Amino acid sequence: MDKDADVPMPPSTPILPPEYGWWLAREAQGRFTSTGLVYVRPIAAVEVDELVEARRYFHDLLARPGVESLLARRRSWTAALGNAAQTPYLGPLNEQIVPQALEALLPVWRMALDFLKGAVTTQFGRTSAQAHAYRAATHRAYDTYFGYRLVEALRNAHLHHSIPALRQRVTYDVVICDRCAEEHRVNPELVVELPREYLLSLDKCPAVLKRELPSRPEYLDLRCAVTEAMHGFFEVLSAVASFDQATAARVRALNAMWAQVAPDQPLLVHSWEGERGSRVAVETFADLDWVRCRTTR
């Protein structure tokens, strides 16, 4: 399986399908149990080859220099948010977990985009239609997502300034037990906010941000900003994928598979008779959600 996957690996021996061979299954409710793994239909080997080739192609995109580093830093950022939210209180040491993860992510943000730009211009030329389409995709992502613009501005500021103190607090859902009337705090989440004035005070704050920041909250939600920035990045990556003429067929094959299992995640299950009895292997696609429903030329 791809090492950049952000989803837990399935067990090697889920419940056997009705017959040996390849099956399309869906991961209902995120569990591999008699109710969690549902077999949809058998799949012919040629269709399996198409789906596995499509997954390999998009996984190769994720493994490109710069892109791989950005995804690794994004996972570290997500893990830092989760770990800090589980602490009973945010002491001096815990308060540094998330800022350090953010400072590790910002330098590779631009590096990933520069690597993609370099790959496109090297393959097709600086004045090619593909290079123009790449620039258009980055401009579109910048114009569409506030989080993309915010991360770009933070990355530029980080080259010359330190990140200011972030406002961090843990929020909970409070559930009251019917029997004992006690309160229980569940689903802790860490809220991380950047003071708006930090960006407005920068000499090189982008003009578009200077115009829109006064209408934004006093503290900006960094968790949402990074999520939006990654949405924009994946749209740029989708544009790069579209330069391969076979990508449209790959996307159609993946979309057809997703449509058959929606809203659950698809799985390819291969079962056969081995020397030591029945064997099962599982192929997952959960880390390719960013490809879903993309339109390509």
Side-chain angles (χ1 to χ4, degrees):
M1 304 307 300
D2 182 66
K3 61 184 178 181
D4 277 327
D6 288 335
V7 297
M9 299 288 283
S12 58
T13 56
I15 294 173
L16 288 171
E19 300 175 5
Y20 288 144
W22 283 96
W23 286 77
L24 173 63
R26 57 186 176 88
E27 183 188 352
Q29 304 169 354
R31 301 195 310 274
F32 288 82
T33 67
S34 57
T35 59
L37 187 62
V38 179
Y39 290 99
V40 178
R41 64 176 177 87
I43 297 183
V46 63
E47 185 179 355
V48 171
D49 290 343
E50 291 176 353
L51 292 170
V52 171
E53 192 280 331
R55 191 187 65 168
R56 178 206 57 77
Y57 173 76
F58 289 111
H59 279 183
D60 285 348
L61 278 180
L62 297 179
R64 285 193 178 192
V67 176
E68 184 179 34
S69 297
L70 177 59
L71 296 180
R73 295 298 187 278
R74 194 270 301 268
R75 287 196 297 273
S76 297
W77 160 260
T78 302
L81 291 171
N83 292 337
Q86 296 298 328
T87 56
Y89 63 94
L90 289 172
L93 292 179
N94 292 333
E95 286 182 347
Q96 297 306 311
I97 294 175
V98 171
Q100 288 171 358
L102 178 64
E103 291 189 352
L105 182 146
L106 291 175
V108 297
W109 167 260
R110 173 49 57 180
M111 182 180 72
L113 291 168
D114 287 344
F115 268 112
L116 285 177
K117 178 181 178 181
V120 171
T121 56
T122 298
Q123 182 177 358
F124 300 104
R126 293 182 180 276
T127 59
S128 64
Q130 291 84 353
H132 176 75
Y134 174 82
R135 290 191 294 271
T138 59
H139 295 162
R140 190 163 52 247
Y142 189 92
D143 294 339
T144 302
Y145 296 104
F146 172 72
Y148 192 103
R149 298 191 292 277
L150 179 59
V151 169
E152 279 273 318
L154 278 179
R155 180 263 171 190
N156 293 333
H158 184 248
L159 294 176
H160 309 287
H161 307 276
S162 61
I163 297 296
L166 305 176
R167 190 167 76 169
Q168 304 179 58
R169 65 184 189 278
V170 178
T171 63
Y172 303 89
D173 293 332
V174 178
V175 177
I176 300 178
C177 176
D178 290 337
R179 281 198 251 171
C180 59
E182 290 184 358
E183 289 187 356
H184 297 276
R185 296 179 177 182
V186 298
N187 302 325
E189 287 192 345
L190 184 70
V191 178
V192 185
E193 296 170 317
L194 174 80
R196 179 187 62 190
E197 291 304 317
Y198 166 74
L199 290 172
L200 288 172
S201 67
L202 297 176
D203 293 336
K204 295 185 177 181
C205 178
V208 64
L209 279 180
K210 282 201 171 184
R211 289 194 299 269
E212 68 179 319
L213 280 174
S215 63
R216 295 279 177 173
E218 182 181 359
Y219 286 87
L220 308 172
D221 188 334
L222 282 182
R223 185 171 189 156
C224 290
V226 172
T227 298
E228 283 191 357
M230 292 304 301
H231 284 324
F233 177 80
F234 279 127
E235 291 188 5
V236 173
L237 195 59
S238 294
V240 174
S242 72
F243 301 154
D244 187 311
Q245 293 182 351
T247 292
R250 296 184 182 109
V251 173
R252 284 195 298 270
L254 291 173
N255 281 340
M257 176 184 62
W258 276 312
Q260 294 175 69
V261 302
D264 298 321
Q265 286 292 346
L267 302 166
L268 290 185
V269 181
H270 184 210
S271 65
W272 69 98
E273 182 68 26
E275 294 180 358
R276 299 183 180 180
S278 299
R279 303 295 302 275
V280 178
V282 179
E283 307 279 353
T284 68
F285 293 80
D287 59 335
L288 294 185
D289 272 359
W290 59 278
V291 180
R292 189 177 305 199
C293 298
R294 300 296 183 192
T295 56
T296 56
R297 293 184 296 117

